Amino acid sequence: MTTETPSNKLNIYGQTFNSRLLIGSALYPSPKVMQDSIAASAAEIVTVSLRRQSPETGGGNMFWQQIKDLGLTILPNTAGCHSIQEAVTLAQMSREIFATDWVKLELVGDEYNLQPDPIDLVKATEILINDGFKVLPYCTDDLVICRHLVELGCEVLMPWGAPIGTGKGLLNPYALSAIRNRFPQTTLVVDAGIGKPSDAVQAFELGYDAILLNSAVAQAQDPIIMAKAFKAACEAGRYGYLAGKMPEKDTAQPSTPTLGMPFWHQS
Amino acid sequence: MQLKINGQTVETSESRSLLEIVRDFGATAPFALAVNGQFVPKSQHESWVLSDQDSIEILSPVQGG
């Protein structure tokens, strides 16, 4: 039996984590529900972003204080950026304000499905890595794009399960599985598209190291209970993967002993 | 000189520093700044030389997914 040891904790650029759930801070019905949901999820990494300061919302200070109160590791994103320059500038601003060299690199390539632009994503990744960033690229499930990102030095890849906010689950398990098999040493996170706890279980059963989600919890009818459900799902999926599933068979095999069966065929 | 701050047109004196201008605008910590799409680190907020028609972005933490 395989058991969890420190060596198989989630590893992100040399930092280790017990939780394999990365969670977003957006779209919750209220700040209190956001805090309680994130706490219930047991996530140790929370995603945040930067936008124009609005005096009406206290300049973002109230939100930032609420996040800091959670005491978690911060992962800033570049959500909404449509060009390499926008993404690089936002990453640099995030590094200063959040005091981290981690960046969840998002570069929108098409408004219809918010698909990452694979070409500009690679170019922006190279610029940011050369500038000292530890890049966590939100990418499509394209094996070759993933290979370019790994060759540039990405230790973490975050391919999508489905477009952001759709909750459609893992639309292409084959492609995700191929990425897992091709890059056994890379930390792989399914980012976006997860809608229900069983999607999370499936990601771990494919051998993924972690999942990143936001809407699935924040837009659930009860976000706090759903956060607990995803916590349990991540543990179930990870343990299931470590344990190794039984071999599949094409024919039924009785589990209860047949030897000693009374009235066996009435003979 | 005329500047754009977070998309709003602002008239200001040429003698004011970038930091003074964003404070006049009402910026409160924490924030990060960019001018014409280029990041301006905190260490240069007082010394950065602005030009007429420059566009300043004042960004602060918000929720993100």
Side-chain angles (χ1 to χ4, degrees), chain A residues 10-15 22 75 102-103 125 134-139 146 149-150 153-159 185-190 209-210:
Chain A
L10 175 64
N11 185 325
I12 299 199
Y13 285 103
Q15 280 185 248
L22 289 70
L75 175 57
W102 285 14
V103 62
T125 296
K134 294 182 170 70
V135 179
L136 294 85
Y138 168 57
C139 54
C146 288
L149 293 167
V150 169
C154 289
E155 296 179 17
V156 180
L157 297 176
M158 303 209 297
Q185 304 304 320
T186 303
T187 296
L188 296 181
V189 182
V190 170
D209 299 289

Side-chain angles (χ1 to χ4, degrees), chain A residues 25 49 51-53 77 89 96, chain B residues 28 37 42 57-58 60 64-65:
Chain A
S25 55
S49 197
R51 287 293 181 268
R52 282 177 170 170
Q53 186 171 103
N77 71 29
T89 299
E96 180 179 84
Chain B
T28 54
K42 209 170 200 169
E57 294 288 339
I58 310 168
S60 285

Side-chain angles (χ1 to χ4, degrees), chain A residues 12 34 54 65 67 77 91 103 113 115 144 185 220 237:
Chain A
I12 299 199
M34 176 196 76
S54 162
Q65 191 57 51
I67 290 294
N77 71 29
V103 62
N113 59 358
Q115 178 174 332
V144 178
Q185 304 304 320

Side-chain angles (χ1 to χ4, degrees), chain A residues 77-88:
Chain A
N77 71 29
T78 61
C81 289
H82 286 71
S83 73
I84 296 170
Q85 184 58 55
E86 285 176 7
V88 168

Side-chain angles (χ1 to χ4, degrees), chain A residues 103-122:
Chain A
V103 62
K104 177 189 168 187
L105 181 59
E106 295 185 52
L107 225 166
V108 177
D110 191 277
E111 278 300 325
Y112 178 71
N113 59 358
L114 298 179
Q115 178 174 332
D117 182 321
I119 314 239
D120 282 354
L121 183 74
V122 171

Side-chain angles (χ1 to χ4, degrees), chain A residues 23-27 34 47-55 58-61 63-64 77 79 85 89-90 92-94 96-98 104 106 212 214, chain B residues 5-8 22 25-43 45 55-65:
Chain A
I23 197 162
S25 55
L27 301 174
M34 176 196 76
T47 53
V48 296
S49 197
L50 288 181
R51 287 293 181 268
R52 282 177 170 170
Q53 186 171 103
S54 162
N61 197 27
F63 164 74
W64 180 223
N77 71 29
Q85 184 58 55
T89 299
L90 202 60
Q92 291 168 331
M93 296 173 87
S94 293
E96 180 179 84
I97 212 161
F98 297 116
K104 177 189 168 187
E106 295 185 52
L212 193 160
N214 191 154
Chain B
I5 304 181
N6 283 359
Q8 294 181 38
V22 299
F25 185 75
T28 54
F31 61 79
L33 300 180
V35 176
N36 300 332
Q38 303 287 328
F39 169 58
V40 178
K42 209 170 200 169
S43 60
H45 284 186
S55 180
I56 301 168
E57 294 288 339
I58 310 168
L59 304 191
S60 285
V62 296
Q63 300 84 347

